[in-house]
Amino acid sequence: MLETVDWSGNAAAPEFGRYGALAVRYGKALRGSPPRRRTVLTTMGWAAEAVAEWTEELRPLYEATGTALWPTERRARVGADAISRRFSEYRDAISLDRNLGPHCLRHSYATHLLEDGFDHLFVQQQLGHSWGSTTAIYTTVGADYKNQALRRALDRAFQPETD
């Protein structure tokens, strides 16, 4: 349900241009509630470049008449089933585990943000989770990250007192 007009700049990250923040208007709702809105901030330069290329160069080739971010050749919206099918084709073509689906990209995103040093609360908010424990389920950080986190904690705990 994303629209081209859902993108905006982020004054705190001008390097991403007009693709610095994405307004998610139809996030997963709690039972009996309307969809939850949130803003997802761009964190990677290559992502802003890819969205700019899609929105400004490739999407116009579809002669889309509306503002749907992902139109089809017939000017409808790309649906979740189509994304799952295409993901499966690519996954199978490069012999990845058949259990992987599009949702694994969300898990990977959360893990990479943590490994790259982003704050846990920031990652939780990016994913739209109400609870940090939910975000923890999404992440599978590597041994290097765990060892670096341990080293930082130990360095803080055993730092000599200064006057």
mmCIF file with all atom_site columns, all heavy atoms in Angstrom, residues 36 38-39 106 109-110 113-114 118-136 139:
data_model
loop_
_atom_site.group_PDB
_atom_site.id
_atom_site.type_symbol
_atom_site.label_atom_id
_atom_site.label_alt_id
_atom_site.label_comp_id
_atom_site.label_asym_id
_atom_site.label_entity_id
_atom_site.label_seq_id
_atom_site.pdbx_PDB_ins_code
_atom_site.Cartn_x
_atom_site.Cartn_y
_atom_site.Cartn_z
_atom_site.occupancy
_atom_site.B_iso_or_equiv
_atom_site.pdbx_formal_charge
_atom_site.auth_seq_id
_atom_site.auth_comp_id
_atom_site.auth_asym_id
_atom_site.auth_atom_id
_atom_site.pdbx_PDB_model_num
ATOM 1   N N   . ARG A 1 36  ? -1.501 0.652   12.105 1.00 0.00 ? 36  ARG A N   1
ATOM 2   C CA  . ARG A 1 36  ? -0.598 1.531   12.860 1.00 0.00 ? 36  ARG A CA  1
ATOM 3   C C   . ARG A 1 36  ? 0.313  2.283   11.904 1.00 0.00 ? 36  ARG A C   1
ATOM 4   O O   . ARG A 1 36  ? 0.953  1.694   11.043 1.00 0.00 ? 36  ARG A O   1
ATOM 5   C CB  . ARG A 1 36  ? 0.227  0.719   13.846 1.00 0.00 ? 36  ARG A CB  1
ATOM 6   C CG  . ARG A 1 36  ? -0.622 0.140   14.949 1.00 0.00 ? 36  ARG A CG  1
ATOM 7   C CD  . ARG A 1 36  ? 0.176  -0.411  16.076 1.00 0.00 ? 36  ARG A CD  1
ATOM 8   N NE  . ARG A 1 36  ? 1.363  -1.132  15.639 1.00 0.00 ? 36  ARG A NE  1
ATOM 9   C CZ  . ARG A 1 36  ? 2.134  -1.821  16.438 1.00 0.00 ? 36  ARG A CZ  1
ATOM 10  N NH1 . ARG A 1 36  ? 1.861  -1.892  17.708 1.00 0.00 ? 36  ARG A NH1 1
ATOM 11  N NH2 . ARG A 1 36  ? 3.192  -2.451  15.982 1.00 0.00 ? 36  ARG A NH2 1
ATOM 12  N N   . ARG A 1 38  ? 3.627  4.661   11.173 1.00 0.00 ? 38  ARG A N   1
ATOM 13  C CA  . ARG A 1 38  ? 4.960  4.929   11.708 1.00 0.00 ? 38  ARG A CA  1
ATOM 14  C C   . ARG A 1 38  ? 5.816  5.481   10.579 1.00 0.00 ? 38  ARG A C   1
ATOM 15  O O   . ARG A 1 38  ? 5.451  5.385   9.415  1.00 0.00 ? 38  ARG A O   1
ATOM 16  C CB  . ARG A 1 38  ? 5.589  3.682   12.318 1.00 0.00 ? 38  ARG A CB  1
ATOM 17  C CG  . ARG A 1 38  ? 6.045  2.647   11.331 1.00 0.00 ? 38  ARG A CG  1
ATOM 18  C CD  . ARG A 1 38  ? 6.715  1.463   12.058 1.00 0.00 ? 38  ARG A CD  1
ATOM 19  N NE  . ARG A 1 38  ? 7.390  0.584   11.169 1.00 0.00 ? 38  ARG A NE  1
ATOM 20  C CZ  . ARG A 1 38  ? 6.820  -0.352  10.430 1.00 0.00 ? 38  ARG A CZ  1
ATOM 21  N NH1 . ARG A 1 38  ? 5.525  -0.514  10.465 1.00 0.00 ? 38  ARG A NH1 1
ATOM 22  N NH2 . ARG A 1 38  ? 7.529  -1.129  9.629  1.00 0.00 ? 38  ARG A NH2 1
ATOM 23  N N   . THR A 1 39  ? 6.933  6.041   10.944 1.00 0.00 ? 39  THR A N   1
ATOM 24  C CA  . THR A 1 39  ? 7.896  6.525   9.960  1.00 0.00 ? 39  THR A CA  1
ATOM 25  C C   . THR A 1 39  ? 9.136  5.659   10.039 1.00 0.00 ? 39  THR A C   1
ATOM 26  O O   . THR A 1 39  ? 9.679  5.442   11.122 1.00 0.00 ? 39  THR A O   1
ATOM 27  C CB  . THR A 1 39  ? 8.256  7.998   10.218 1.00 0.00 ? 39  THR A CB  1
ATOM 28  O OG1 . THR A 1 39  ? 7.066  8.780   10.134 1.00 0.00 ? 39  THR A OG1 1
ATOM 29  C CG2 . THR A 1 39  ? 9.275  8.498   9.207  1.00 0.00 ? 39  THR A CG2 1
ATOM 30  N N   . ARG A 1 106 ? 13.269 -8.795  6.455  1.00 0.00 ? 106 ARG A N   1
ATOM 31  C CA  . ARG A 1 106 ? 13.001 -7.963  7.629  1.00 0.00 ? 106 ARG A CA  1
ATOM 32  C C   . ARG A 1 106 ? 13.903 -8.389  8.795  1.00 0.00 ? 106 ARG A C   1
ATOM 33  O O   . ARG A 1 106 ? 14.461 -7.549  9.497  1.00 0.00 ? 106 ARG A O   1
ATOM 34  C CB  . ARG A 1 106 ? 11.525 -8.103  7.970  1.00 0.00 ? 106 ARG A CB  1
ATOM 35  C CG  . ARG A 1 106 ? 10.991 -7.199  9.016  1.00 0.00 ? 106 ARG A CG  1
ATOM 36  C CD  . ARG A 1 106 ? 9.462  -7.353  9.023  1.00 0.00 ? 106 ARG A CD  1
ATOM 37  N NE  . ARG A 1 106 ? 8.891  -6.977  10.278 1.00 0.00 ? 106 ARG A NE  1
ATOM 38  C CZ  . ARG A 1 106 ? 8.578  -5.733  10.614 1.00 0.00 ? 106 ARG A CZ  1
ATOM 39  N NH1 . ARG A 1 106 ? 8.790  -4.751  9.764  1.00 0.00 ? 106 ARG A NH1 1
ATOM 40  N NH2 . ARG A 1 106 ? 8.047  -5.468  11.787 1.00 0.00 ? 106 ARG A NH2 1
ATOM 41  N N   . TYR A 1 109 ? 17.432 -7.259  7.982  1.00 0.00 ? 109 TYR A N   1
ATOM 42  C CA  . TYR A 1 109 ? 17.552 -5.813  8.172  1.00 0.00 ? 109 TYR A CA  1
ATOM 43  C C   . TYR A 1 109 ? 17.781 -5.492  9.652  1.00 0.00 ? 109 TYR A C   1
ATOM 44  O O   . TYR A 1 109 ? 18.702 -4.752  10.000 1.00 0.00 ? 109 TYR A O   1
ATOM 45  C CB  . TYR A 1 109 ? 16.292 -5.125  7.652  1.00 0.00 ? 109 TYR A CB  1
ATOM 46  C CG  . TYR A 1 109 ? 16.213 -3.648  7.905  1.00 0.00 ? 109 TYR A CG  1
ATOM 47  C CD1 . TYR A 1 109 ? 17.106 -2.765  7.313  1.00 0.00 ? 109 TYR A CD1 1
ATOM 48  C CD2 . TYR A 1 109 ? 15.227 -3.120  8.737  1.00 0.00 ? 109 TYR A CD2 1
ATOM 49  C CE1 . TYR A 1 109 ? 17.025 -1.397  7.530  1.00 0.00 ? 109 TYR A CE1 1
ATOM 50  C CE2 . TYR A 1 109 ? 15.136 -1.757  8.964  1.00 0.00 ? 109 TYR A CE2 1
ATOM 51  C CZ  . TYR A 1 109 ? 16.038 -0.904  8.360  1.00 0.00 ? 109 TYR A CZ  1
ATOM 52  O OH  . TYR A 1 109 ? 15.958 0.451   8.580  1.00 0.00 ? 109 TYR A OH  1
ATOM 53  N N   . ALA A 1 110 ? 16.978 -6.077  10.527 1.00 0.00 ? 110 ALA A N   1
ATOM 54  C CA  . ALA A 1 110 ? 17.111 -5.830  11.965 1.00 0.00 ? 110 ALA A CA  1
ATOM 55  C C   . ALA A 1 110 ? 18.486 -6.280  12.459 1.00 0.00 ? 110 ALA A C   1
ATOM 56  O O   . ALA A 1 110 ? 19.165 -5.556  13.207 1.00 0.00 ? 110 ALA A O   1
ATOM 57  C CB  . ALA A 1 110 ? 16.010 -6.557  12.729 1.00 0.00 ? 110 ALA A CB  1
ATOM 58  N N   . LEU A 1 113 ? 21.253 -3.876  11.216 1.00 0.00 ? 113 LEU A N   1
ATOM 59  C CA  . LEU A 1 113 ? 21.253 -2.598  11.929 1.00 0.00 ? 113 LEU A CA  1
ATOM 60  C C   . LEU A 1 113 ? 21.949 -2.745  13.282 1.00 0.00 ? 113 LEU A C   1
ATOM 61  O O   . LEU A 1 113 ? 22.776 -1.909  13.663 1.00 0.00 ? 113 LEU A O   1
ATOM 62  C CB  . LEU A 1 113 ? 19.827 -2.086  12.135 1.00 0.00 ? 113 LEU A CB  1
ATOM 63  C CG  . LEU A 1 113 ? 19.112 -1.520  10.909 1.00 0.00 ? 113 LEU A CG  1
ATOM 64  C CD1 . LEU A 1 113 ? 17.702 -1.074  11.283 1.00 0.00 ? 113 LEU A CD1 1
ATOM 65  C CD2 . LEU A 1 113 ? 19.891 -0.369  10.290 1.00 0.00 ? 113 LEU A CD2 1
ATOM 66  N N   . LEU A 1 114 ? 21.621 -3.802  14.008 1.00 0.00 ? 114 LEU A N   1
ATOM 67  C CA  . LEU A 1 114 ? 22.259 -4.017  15.312 1.00 0.00 ? 114 LEU A CA  1
ATOM 68  C C   . LEU A 1 114 ? 23.758 -4.238  15.164 1.00 0.00 ? 114 LEU A C   1
ATOM 69  O O   . LEU A 1 114 ? 24.561 -3.652  15.900 1.00 0.00 ? 114 LEU A O   1
ATOM 70  C CB  . LEU A 1 114 ? 21.617 -5.202  16.031 1.00 0.00 ? 114 LEU A CB  1
ATOM 71  C CG  . LEU A 1 114 ? 20.218 -4.953  16.564 1.00 0.00 ? 114 LEU A CG  1
ATOM 72  C CD1 . LEU A 1 114 ? 19.622 -6.232  17.115 1.00 0.00 ? 114 LEU A CD1 1
ATOM 73  C CD2 . LEU A 1 114 ? 20.229 -3.855  17.624 1.00 0.00 ? 114 LEU A CD2 1
ATOM 74  N N   . PHE A 1 118 ? 23.535 0.352   15.433 1.00 0.00 ? 118 PHE A N   1
ATOM 75  C CA  . PHE A 1 118 ? 22.336 1.134   15.704 1.00 0.00 ? 118 PHE A CA  1
ATOM 76  C C   . PHE A 1 118 ? 21.767 0.752   17.065 1.00 0.00 ? 118 PHE A C   1
ATOM 77  O O   . PHE A 1 118 ? 21.837 -0.407  17.486 1.00 0.00 ? 118 PHE A O   1
ATOM 78  C CB  . PHE A 1 118 ? 21.280 0.913   14.615 1.00 0.00 ? 118 PHE A CB  1
ATOM 79  C CG  . PHE A 1 118 ? 21.574 1.647   13.337 1.00 0.00 ? 118 PHE A CG  1
ATOM 80  C CD1 . PHE A 1 118 ? 22.415 1.092   12.385 1.00 0.00 ? 118 PHE A CD1 1
ATOM 81  C CD2 . PHE A 1 118 ? 21.026 2.896   13.087 1.00 0.00 ? 118 PHE A CD2 1
ATOM 82  C CE1 . PHE A 1 118 ? 22.700 1.756   11.210 1.00 0.00 ? 118 PHE A CE1 1
ATOM 83  C CE2 . PHE A 1 118 ? 21.302 3.567   11.908 1.00 0.00 ? 118 PHE A CE2 1
ATOM 84  C CZ  . PHE A 1 118 ? 22.140 3.002   10.964 1.00 0.00 ? 118 PHE A CZ  1
ATOM 85  N N   . ASP A 1 119 ? 21.194 1.716   17.735 1.00 0.00 ? 119 ASP A N   1
ATOM 86  C CA  . ASP A 1 119 ? 20.609 1.523   19.051 1.00 0.00 ? 119 ASP A CA  1
ATOM 87  C C   . ASP A 1 119 ? 19.430 0.546   18.985 1.00 0.00 ? 119 ASP A C   1
ATOM 88  O O   . ASP A 1 119 ? 18.660 0.558   18.026 1.00 0.00 ? 119 ASP A O   1
ATOM 89  C CB  . ASP A 1 119 ? 20.124 2.880   19.572 1.00 0.00 ? 119 ASP A CB  1
ATOM 90  C CG  . ASP A 1 119 ? 19.533 2.790   20.948 1.00 0.00 ? 119 ASP A CG  1
ATOM 91  O OD1 . ASP A 1 119 ? 20.302 2.690   21.911 1.00 0.00 ? 119 ASP A OD1 1
ATOM 92  O OD2 . ASP A 1 119 ? 18.289 2.797   21.053 1.00 0.00 ? 119 ASP A OD2 1
ATOM 93  N N   . HIS A 1 120 ? 19.285 -0.284  20.015 1.00 0.00 ? 120 HIS A N   1
ATOM 94  C CA  . HIS A 1 120 ? 18.213 -1.288  20.043 1.00 0.00 ? 120 HIS A CA  1
ATOM 95  C C   . HIS A 1 120 ? 16.832 -0.644  19.943 1.00 0.00 ? 120 HIS A C   1
ATOM 96  O O   . HIS A 1 120 ? 15.946 -1.170  19.250 1.00 0.00 ? 120 HIS A O   1
ATOM 97  C CB  . HIS A 1 120 ? 18.312 -2.137  21.314 1.00 0.00 ? 120 HIS A CB  1
ATOM 98  C CG  . HIS A 1 120 ? 19.477 -3.066  21.307 1.00 0.00 ? 120 HIS A CG  1
ATOM 99  N ND1 . HIS A 1 120 ? 19.335 -4.412  21.121 1.00 0.00 ? 120 HIS A ND1 1
ATOM 100 C CD2 . HIS A 1 120 ? 20.804 -2.845  21.425 1.00 0.00 ? 120 HIS A CD2 1
ATOM 101 C CE1 . HIS A 1 120 ? 20.526 -4.984  21.139 1.00 0.00 ? 120 HIS A CE1 1
ATOM 102 N NE2 . HIS A 1 120 ? 21.432 -4.058  21.317 1.00 0.00 ? 120 HIS A NE2 1
ATOM 103 N N   . LEU A 1 121 ? 16.625 0.477   20.613 1.00 0.00 ? 121 LEU A N   1
ATOM 104 C CA  . LEU A 1 121 ? 15.324 1.151   20.554 1.00 0.00 ? 121 LEU A CA  1
ATOM 105 C C   . LEU A 1 121 ? 15.053 1.667   19.143 1.00 0.00 ? 121 LEU A C   1
ATOM 106 O O   . LEU A 1 121 ? 13.927 1.574   18.646 1.00 0.00 ? 121 LEU A O   1
ATOM 107 C CB  . LEU A 1 121 ? 15.260 2.289   21.570 1.00 0.00 ? 121 LEU A CB  1
ATOM 108 C CG  . LEU A 1 121 ? 13.942 3.071   21.610 1.00 0.00 ? 121 LEU A CG  1
ATOM 109 C CD1 . LEU A 1 121 ? 12.766 2.137   21.908 1.00 0.00 ? 121 LEU A CD1 1
ATOM 110 C CD2 . LEU A 1 121 ? 14.016 4.188   22.642 1.00 0.00 ? 121 LEU A CD2 1
ATOM 111 N N   . PHE A 1 122 ? 16.077 2.176   18.481 1.00 0.00 ? 122 PHE A N   1
ATOM 112 C CA  . PHE A 1 122 ? 15.918 2.635   17.100 1.00 0.00 ? 122 PHE A CA  1
ATOM 113 C C   . PHE A 1 122 ? 15.475 1.479   16.200 1.00 0.00 ? 122 PHE A C   1
ATOM 114 O O   . PHE A 1 122 ? 14.546 1.622   15.405 1.00 0.00 ? 122 PHE A O   1
ATOM 115 C CB  . PHE A 1 122 ? 17.231 3.233   16.581 1.00 0.00 ? 122 PHE A CB  1
ATOM 116 C CG  . PHE A 1 122 ? 17.177 3.663   15.143 1.00 0.00 ? 122 PHE A CG  1
ATOM 117 C CD1 . PHE A 1 122 ? 16.637 4.883   14.786 1.00 0.00 ? 122 PHE A CD1 1
ATOM 118 C CD2 . PHE A 1 122 ? 17.662 2.827   14.136 1.00 0.00 ? 122 PHE A CD2 1
ATOM 119 C CE1 . PHE A 1 122 ? 16.578 5.280   13.454 1.00 0.00 ? 122 PHE A CE1 1
ATOM 120 C CE2 . PHE A 1 122 ? 17.612 3.217   12.801 1.00 0.00 ? 122 PHE A CE2 1
ATOM 121 C CZ  . PHE A 1 122 ? 17.065 4.447   12.463 1.00 0.00 ? 122 PHE A CZ  1
ATOM 122 N N   . VAL A 1 123 ? 16.118 0.331   16.337 1.00 0.00 ? 123 VAL A N   1
ATOM 123 C CA  . VAL A 1 123 ? 15.773 -0.840  15.520 1.00 0.00 ? 123 VAL A CA  1
ATOM 124 C C   . VAL A 1 123 ? 14.332 -1.260  15.816 1.00 0.00 ? 123 VAL A C   1
ATOM 125 O O   . VAL A 1 123 ? 13.556 -1.537  14.898 1.00 0.00 ? 123 VAL A O   1
ATOM 126 C CB  . VAL A 1 123 ? 16.764 -2.000  15.768 1.00 0.00 ? 123 VAL A CB  1
ATOM 127 C CG1 . VAL A 1 123 ? 16.352 -3.243  14.992 1.00 0.00 ? 123 VAL A CG1 1
ATOM 128 C CG2 . VAL A 1 123 ? 18.176 -1.574  15.388 1.00 0.00 ? 123 VAL A CG2 1
ATOM 129 N N   . GLN A 1 124 ? 13.970 -1.286  17.075 1.00 0.00 ? 124 GLN A N   1
ATOM 130 C CA  . GLN A 1 124 ? 12.602 -1.638  17.466 1.00 0.00 ? 124 GLN A CA  1
ATOM 131 C C   . GLN A 1 124 ? 11.596 -0.708  16.796 1.00 0.00 ? 124 GLN A C   1
ATOM 132 O O   . GLN A 1 124 ? 10.588 -1.156  16.244 1.00 0.00 ? 124 GLN A O   1
ATOM 133 C CB  . GLN A 1 124 ? 12.477 -1.547  18.987 1.00 0.00 ? 124 GLN A CB  1
ATOM 134 C CG  . GLN A 1 124 ? 11.092 -1.802  19.523 1.00 0.00 ? 124 GLN A CG  1
ATOM 135 C CD  . GLN A 1 124 ? 11.020 -1.594  21.032 1.00 0.00 ? 124 GLN A CD  1
ATOM 136 O OE1 . GLN A 1 124 ? 12.004 -1.765  21.738 1.00 0.00 ? 124 GLN A OE1 1
ATOM 137 N NE2 . GLN A 1 124 ? 9.867  -1.219  21.519 1.00 0.00 ? 124 GLN A NE2 1
ATOM 138 N N   . GLN A 1 125 ? 11.869 0.583   16.799 1.00 0.00 ? 125 GLN A N   1
ATOM 139 C CA  . GLN A 1 125 ? 10.956 1.549   16.189 1.00 0.00 ? 125 GLN A CA  1
ATOM 140 C C   . GLN A 1 125 ? 10.933 1.430   14.669 1.00 0.00 ? 125 GLN A C   1
ATOM 141 O O   . GLN A 1 125 ? 9.880  1.585   14.044 1.00 0.00 ? 125 GLN A O   1
ATOM 142 C CB  . GLN A 1 125 ? 11.328 2.966   16.624 1.00 0.00 ? 125 GLN A CB  1
ATOM 143 C CG  . GLN A 1 125 ? 11.050 3.185   18.095 1.00 0.00 ? 125 GLN A CG  1
ATOM 144 C CD  . GLN A 1 125 ? 11.588 4.504   18.601 1.00 0.00 ? 125 GLN A CD  1
ATOM 145 O OE1 . GLN A 1 125 ? 12.405 5.173   17.946 1.00 0.00 ? 125 GLN A OE1 1
ATOM 146 N NE2 . GLN A 1 125 ? 11.149 4.906   19.783 1.00 0.00 ? 125 GLN A NE2 1
ATOM 147 N N   . GLN A 1 126 ? 12.075 1.135   14.065 1.00 0.00 ? 126 GLN A N   1
ATOM 148 C CA  . GLN A 1 126 ? 12.113 0.940   12.617 1.00 0.00 ? 126 GLN A CA  1
ATOM 149 C C   . GLN A 1 126 ? 11.190 -0.205  12.203 1.00 0.00 ? 126 GLN A C   1
ATOM 150 O O   . GLN A 1 126 ? 10.527 -0.147  11.170 1.00 0.00 ? 126 GLN A O   1
ATOM 151 C CB  . GLN A 1 126 ? 13.535 0.626   12.150 1.00 0.00 ? 126 GLN A CB  1
ATOM 152 C CG  . GLN A 1 126 ? 14.474 1.803   12.111 1.00 0.00 ? 126 GLN A CG  1
ATOM 153 C CD  . GLN A 1 126 ? 14.206 2.741   10.965 1.00 0.00 ? 126 GLN A CD  1
ATOM 154 O OE1 . GLN A 1 126 ? 13.516 3.739   11.123 1.00 0.00 ? 126 GLN A OE1 1
ATOM 155 N NE2 . GLN A 1 126 ? 14.746 2.442   9.807  1.00 0.00 ? 126 GLN A NE2 1
ATOM 156 N N   . LEU A 1 127 ? 11.158 -1.262  13.015 1.00 0.00 ? 127 LEU A N   1
ATOM 157 C CA  . LEU A 1 127 ? 10.342 -2.426  12.694 1.00 0.00 ? 127 LEU A CA  1
ATOM 158 C C   . LEU A 1 127 ? 8.885  -2.246  13.108 1.00 0.00 ? 127 LEU A C   1
ATOM 159 O O   . LEU A 1 127 ? 8.028  -3.044  12.730 1.00 0.00 ? 127 LEU A O   1
ATOM 160 C CB  . LEU A 1 127 ? 10.918 -3.679  13.363 1.00 0.00 ? 127 LEU A CB  1
ATOM 161 C CG  . LEU A 1 127 ? 12.309 -4.087  12.891 1.00 0.00 ? 127 LEU A CG  1
ATOM 162 C CD1 . LEU A 1 127 ? 12.815 -5.279  13.694 1.00 0.00 ? 127 LEU A CD1 1
ATOM 163 C CD2 . LEU A 1 127 ? 12.323 -4.401  11.412 1.00 0.00 ? 127 LEU A CD2 1
ATOM 164 N N   . GLY A 1 128 ? 8.610  -1.216  13.903 1.00 0.00 ? 128 GLY A N   1
ATOM 165 C CA  . GLY A 1 128 ? 7.242  -0.982  14.352 1.00 0.00 ? 128 GLY A CA  1
ATOM 166 C C   . GLY A 1 128 ? 6.814  -1.890  15.486 1.00 0.00 ? 128 GLY A C   1
ATOM 167 O O   . GLY A 1 128 ? 5.624  -2.119  15.686 1.00 0.00 ? 128 GLY A O   1
ATOM 168 N N   . HIS A 1 129 ? 7.777  -2.398  16.244 1.00 0.00 ? 129 HIS A N   1
ATOM 169 C CA  . HIS A 1 129 ? 7.459  -3.282  17.367 1.00 0.00 ? 129 HIS A CA  1
ATOM 170 C C   . HIS A 1 129 ? 7.149  -2.477  18.618 1.00 0.00 ? 129 HIS A C   1
ATOM 171 O O   . HIS A 1 129 ? 7.813  -1.488  18.910 1.00 0.00 ? 129 HIS A O   1
ATOM 172 C CB  . HIS A 1 129 ? 8.627  -4.215  17.667 1.00 0.00 ? 129 HIS A CB  1
ATOM 173 C CG  . HIS A 1 129 ? 8.864  -5.235  16.608 1.00 0.00 ? 129 HIS A CG  1
ATOM 174 N ND1 . HIS A 1 129 ? 10.063 -5.877  16.452 1.00 0.00 ? 129 HIS A ND1 1
ATOM 175 C CD2 . HIS A 1 129 ? 8.054  -5.743  15.648 1.00 0.00 ? 129 HIS A CD2 1
ATOM 176 C CE1 . HIS A 1 129 ? 9.989  -6.728  15.441 1.00 0.00 ? 129 HIS A CE1 1
ATOM 177 N NE2 . HIS A 1 129 ? 8.775  -6.659  14.937 1.00 0.00 ? 129 HIS A NE2 1
ATOM 178 N N   . SER A 1 130 ? 6.166  -2.919  19.377 1.00 0.00 ? 130 SER A N   1
ATOM 179 C CA  . SER A 1 130 ? 5.838  -2.287  20.651 1.00 0.00 ? 130 SER A CA  1
ATOM 180 C C   . SER A 1 130 ? 6.796  -2.714  21.750 1.00 0.00 ? 130 SER A C   1
ATOM 181 O O   . SER A 1 130 ? 6.998  -1.996  22.714 1.00 0.00 ? 130 SER A O   1
ATOM 182 C CB  . SER A 1 130 ? 4.407  -2.642  21.068 1.00 0.00 ? 130 SER A CB  1
ATOM 183 O OG  . SER A 1 130 ? 3.481  -2.164  20.121 1.00 0.00 ? 130 SER A OG  1
ATOM 184 N N   . TRP A 1 131 ? 7.366  -3.900  21.611 1.00 0.00 ? 131 TRP A N   1
ATOM 185 C CA  . TRP A 1 131 ? 8.198  -4.475  22.666 1.00 0.00 ? 131 TRP A CA  1
ATOM 186 C C   . TRP A 1 131 ? 9.569  -4.873  22.129 1.00 0.00 ? 131 TRP A C   1
ATOM 187 O O   . TRP A 1 131 ? 9.682  -5.463  21.068 1.00 0.00 ? 131 TRP A O   1
ATOM 188 C CB  . TRP A 1 131 ? 7.510  -5.713  23.266 1.00 0.00 ? 131 TRP A CB  1
ATOM 189 C CG  . TRP A 1 131 ? 6.149  -5.405  23.775 1.00 0.00 ? 131 TRP A CG  1
ATOM 190 C CD1 . TRP A 1 131 ? 4.958  -5.647  23.145 1.00 0.00 ? 131 TRP A CD1 1
ATOM 191 C CD2 . TRP A 1 131 ? 5.813  -4.746  24.990 1.00 0.00 ? 131 TRP A CD2 1
ATOM 192 N NE1 . TRP A 1 131 ? 3.913  -5.193  23.903 1.00 0.00 ? 131 TRP A NE1 1
ATOM 193 C CE2 . TRP A 1 131 ? 4.408  -4.641  25.047 1.00 0.00 ? 131 TRP A CE2 1
ATOM 194 C CE3 . TRP A 1 131 ? 6.568  -4.241  26.048 1.00 0.00 ? 131 TRP A CE3 1
ATOM 195 C CZ2 . TRP A 1 131 ? 3.747  -4.041  26.117 1.00 0.00 ? 131 TRP A CZ2 1
ATOM 196 C CZ3 . TRP A 1 131 ? 5.904  -3.650  27.115 1.00 0.00 ? 131 TRP A CZ3 1
ATOM 197 C CH2 . TRP A 1 131 ? 4.519  -3.561  27.136 1.00 0.00 ? 131 TRP A CH2 1
ATOM 198 N N   . GLY A 1 132 ? 10.592 -4.577  22.918 1.00 0.00 ? 132 GLY A N   1
ATOM 199 C CA  . GLY A 1 132 ? 11.949 -4.958  22.549 1.00 0.00 ? 132 GLY A CA  1
ATOM 200 C C   . GLY A 1 132 ? 12.112 -6.468  22.445 1.00 0.00 ? 132 GLY A C   1
ATOM 201 O O   . GLY A 1 132 ? 12.919 -6.958  21.662 1.00 0.00 ? 132 GLY A O   1
ATOM 202 N N   . SER A 1 133 ? 11.346 -7.208  23.223 1.00 0.00 ? 133 SER A N   1
ATOM 203 C CA  . SER A 1 133 ? 11.447 -8.671  23.174 1.00 0.00 ? 133 SER A CA  1
ATOM 204 C C   . SER A 1 133 ? 11.026 -9.201  21.803 1.00 0.00 ? 133 SER A C   1
ATOM 205 O O   . SER A 1 133 ? 11.561 -10.210 21.337 1.00 0.00 ? 133 SER A O   1
ATOM 206 C CB  . SER A 1 133 ? 10.601 -9.307  24.282 1.00 0.00 ? 133 SER A CB  1
ATOM 207 O OG  . SER A 1 133 ? 9.250  -8.904  24.179 1.00 0.00 ? 133 SER A OG  1
ATOM 208 N N   . THR A 1 134 ? 10.093 -8.538  21.158 1.00 0.00 ? 134 THR A N   1
ATOM 209 C CA  . THR A 1 134 ? 9.685  -8.946  19.808 1.00 0.00 ? 134 THR A CA  1
ATOM 210 C C   . THR A 1 134 ? 10.833 -8.712  18.835 1.00 0.00 ? 134 THR A C   1
ATOM 211 O O   . THR A 1 134 ? 11.137 -9.568  18.004 1.00 0.00 ? 134 THR A O   1
ATOM 212 C CB  . THR A 1 134 ? 8.441  -8.166  19.344 1.00 0.00 ? 134 THR A CB  1
ATOM 213 O OG1 . THR A 1 134 ? 7.425  -8.315  20.325 1.00 0.00 ? 134 THR A OG1 1
ATOM 214 C CG2 . THR A 1 134 ? 7.948  -8.652  17.997 1.00 0.00 ? 134 THR A CG2 1
ATOM 215 N N   . THR A 1 135 ? 11.497 -7.584  18.960 1.00 0.00 ? 135 THR A N   1
ATOM 216 C CA  . THR A 1 135 ? 12.635 -7.283  18.096 1.00 0.00 ? 135 THR A CA  1
ATOM 217 C C   . THR A 1 135 ? 13.751 -8.294  18.311 1.00 0.00 ? 135 THR A C   1
ATOM 218 O O   . THR A 1 135 ? 14.393 -8.723  17.355 1.00 0.00 ? 135 THR A O   1
ATOM 219 C CB  . THR A 1 135 ? 13.139 -5.853  18.358 1.00 0.00 ? 135 THR A CB  1
ATOM 220 O OG1 . THR A 1 135 ? 12.045 -4.945  18.225 1.00 0.00 ? 135 THR A OG1 1
ATOM 221 C CG2 . THR A 1 135 ? 14.236 -5.463  17.385 1.00 0.00 ? 135 THR A CG2 1
ATOM 222 N N   . ALA A 1 136 ? 13.963 -8.701  19.552 1.00 0.00 ? 136 ALA A N   1
ATOM 223 C CA  . ALA A 1 136 ? 15.025 -9.670  19.856 1.00 0.00 ? 136 ALA A CA  1
ATOM 224 C C   . ALA A 1 136 ? 14.788 -10.983 19.120 1.00 0.00 ? 136 ALA A C   1
ATOM 225 O O   . ALA A 1 136 ? 15.739 -11.630 18.676 1.00 0.00 ? 136 ALA A O   1
ATOM 226 C CB  . ALA A 1 136 ? 15.109 -9.910  21.358 1.00 0.00 ? 136 ALA A CB  1
ATOM 227 N N   . THR A 1 139 ? 16.255 -11.017 15.524 1.00 0.00 ? 139 THR A N   1
ATOM 228 C CA  . THR A 1 139 ? 17.679 -10.868 15.251 1.00 0.00 ? 139 THR A CA  1
ATOM 229 C C   . THR A 1 139 ? 18.462 -12.133 15.555 1.00 0.00 ? 139 THR A C   1
ATOM 230 O O   . THR A 1 139 ? 18.165 -12.859 16.492 1.00 0.00 ? 139 THR A O   1
ATOM 231 C CB  . THR A 1 139 ? 18.265 -9.704  16.067 1.00 0.00 ? 139 THR A CB  1
ATOM 232 O OG1 . THR A 1 139 ? 18.085 -9.976  17.451 1.00 0.00 ? 139 THR A OG1 1
ATOM 233 C CG2 . THR A 1 139 ? 17.592 -8.400  15.708 1.00 0.00 ? 139 THR A CG2 1
#
